[in-house]
Amino acid sequence: MSDNEDTKLITGGRRKEWTHGIVNPPVYRASTCLFDSYAQLRERVANPTAKHLFYGRKGTPTQWALEEALTDLEGADGTMLFPSGIAAVTTSILALVKAGDHVLITDNAYEPTRTFSNGMLKAMNIEAEYYDPTIGAGIAELLRPNTSVILTESPGSLTFEVQDIPAIVAAAKEKNVYVITDNTWATPLFFKPLEHDVDISVEACTKYIGGHSDAMIGSASAKGKAWRKLSRTAYQMGHMVSADDAFLTSRGLRTLGIRLKAHEENALKIAAWLKERPEVASVIHPAFEECPGHEIWARDFSGSSGLFSIVLKGGDYPDTAAMVDDMRLFKMGFSWGGFESLILPSDPTTSRTAVKWSAPGPLLRLHIGLEDTDDLIADLEAGLTRYSRHIGA
Ligand SMILES: *Cc1c(COP(=O)(O)O)cnc(C)c1O
C-alpha cells in the first residue's frame, strides 16, 4: 500500500536497520568503514550500488535514509545527494552530455546555472543556447541533431515564468533528448517532474527541504537510463553530502508539508496586499493571473510556495536602498526557503539573453517566511512609504 504524501514525509527513510529503533536516523560520520573479512570486502566491491557500508563517499545510513525518502517522494529509481543545489544541477547536465553536444537552457535559469553553461560547458565544446521560458511546444524548432539536454526551471528564477513541461517533454522524447527540471521552487510536494516523464528532477534542498537556512545540500532524482548515467557521474565526480547536513535535511523533511502550506498561505495574503499598493507596478506570482504561464501553473501544480517578485513603479537604486536598508523583519540575503522572510533587490537585465527584460522600475524578490503576516505587512508598508518619499524628495 502506498501512503499519502504527509505520511511519507514522516516515515520516509526510517528503516529499522538504519535507525536501530531511534526515531530519526542518527548522524553516522564516516570516512573508513571496517570489513569483517576479505570475503566481505570482495562481496561489497562486487556490488557497488548496494546500500552497505563501504567508504564514506558512498554514504552511510544517514545519507541513505534521506536518499530513500526523496526517491519515494519524487517517484524515482534513485537519488544522488550533493554538497549544494548547484552541484546537483551541473552534475545532472554533465551526466547527459559529451563534447560537441548542444544543450538548451531556459532563459530564466538560476544564474549560476548560466555561469556554468557559459564557462565549463563551453570549455568542453558544448554549446549552450538559451530559450524563451514560455516557448512550450515551440522548443521542437530549436532541437538539432546534436541536442542532448533541455534544462527547464519552472517557475524560473527572479521572473517566475511557468514552463509547459509536458509540451517540452513531448517534443524532447520525439528526438531522444533528455529533460532536466530544476524543481526547487515547487519541491516534490507541489510538482513532480518525473510523473511528467522528465528524466532528472533536481532540488536545491538548501531551500525548502532543509528549510532552516543552516545547511547546503542538493539532490537529483531520476529514472531508468538517466538514473544510471547520473549515479555513475556523481560518484565519479566524488559528490556526497556530509552526514550532518543530510541529517538536518531529513529533519527538515518531516515538517515540509505544514511549512510549505504556511509559506503558501502567508505569501498569497501578502501578494494580494501588495497588488493593491500604489507603489507596486506588478506582482509576479505564479498563482496570480498576470504571471506568464499562470494557466500552466493552475493545470500542473498543486500549490504555490513563498517566493515571488514585485516590480515597483519608477525609482532607482537610491530609492530602493531607502526601502530595503531599513526593513525590520525582511532581511536582505541570498537563498530562501527558510522560516524567515527575505527581501532581495535584483536586476534580471544582465542575466537574460533570449528575451529582453524590461520593467517600469526595480524588481524585488520576496521570500515570505512564517512570521505573523500583519507584522510582515506593516514592515512592507513602512518600506514602500520610504521608497515613494525618497522618489518624491
Ligand atoms: C538556490 C538555487 C539553486 C542552488 O542551490 P545551492 O544550494 O545554493 O547551490 C539552484 N536552483 C535554484 C532554482 C535555486 O534557487
Side-chain angles (χ1 to χ4, degrees), residues 102-291:
H102 167 248
V103 300
L104 288 162
I105 311 279
T106 185
D107 205 31
N108 55 6
Y110 181 63
E111 201 168 357
T113 301
R114 294 180 69 108
T115 309
F116 165 80
S117 304
N118 296 339
M120 203 161 157
L121 286 186
K122 192 167 176 213
M124 293 167 68
N125 191 27
I126 295 163
E127 185 190 348
E129 179 181 351
Y130 296 92
Y131 65 89
D132 179 346
T134 65
I135 198 166
I139 196 95
E141 286 162 37
L142 300 183
L143 298 176
R144 303 179 195 168
N146 63 336
T147 307
S148 48
V149 169
I150 302 171
L151 182 112
T152 61
E153 183 185 314
S154 180
S157 286
L158 302 179
T159 47
F160 298 93
E161 297 88 346
V162 184
Q163 296 197 256
D164 193 340
I165 296 205
I168 290 173
V169 167
K173 294 288 142 182
E174 286 268 307
K175 296 278 155 78
N176 289 318
V177 172
Y178 290 106
V179 179
I180 300 171
T181 296
D182 183 332
N183 195 45
T184 302
W185 182 88
T187 84
L189 295 194
F190 288 162
F191 185 69
K192 290 192 195 301
L194 300 188
E195 278 185 4
H196 295 274
D197 287 330
V198 163
D199 297 287
I200 303 182
S201 171
V202 175
E203 314 285 347
C205 303
T206 305
K207 312 290 169 58
Y208 282 123
I209 297 177
H212 294 73
S213 307
D214 52 10
M216 296 294 304
I217 176 168
S219 68
S221 304
K223 281 196 290 204
K225 197 169 161 196
W227 164 241
R228 290 192 292 281
K229 284 173 176 270
L230 168 73
S231 52
R232 220 181 296 137
T233 305
Y235 188 65
Q236 281 176 19
M237 294 194 59
H239 282 306
M240 179 42 72
V241 73
S242 74
D244 295 85
D245 286 343
F247 170 84
L248 288 172
T249 308
S250 284
R251 182 159 142 155
L253 194 65
R254 308 298 171 207
T255 55
L256 180 65
I258 53 166
R259 282 189 289 111
L260 216 51
K261 279 183 205 114
H263 284 291
E264 172 174 45
E265 210 174 284
N266 287 2
L268 288 171
K269 189 167 164 194
I270 286 169
W273 178 84
L274 284 163
K275 205 167 135 43
E276 303 305 319
R277 290 294 303 192
E279 303 88 348
V280 176
S282 60
V283 172
I284 322 177
H285 184 306
F288 284 62
E289 255 172 42
E290 60 268 59
C291 182

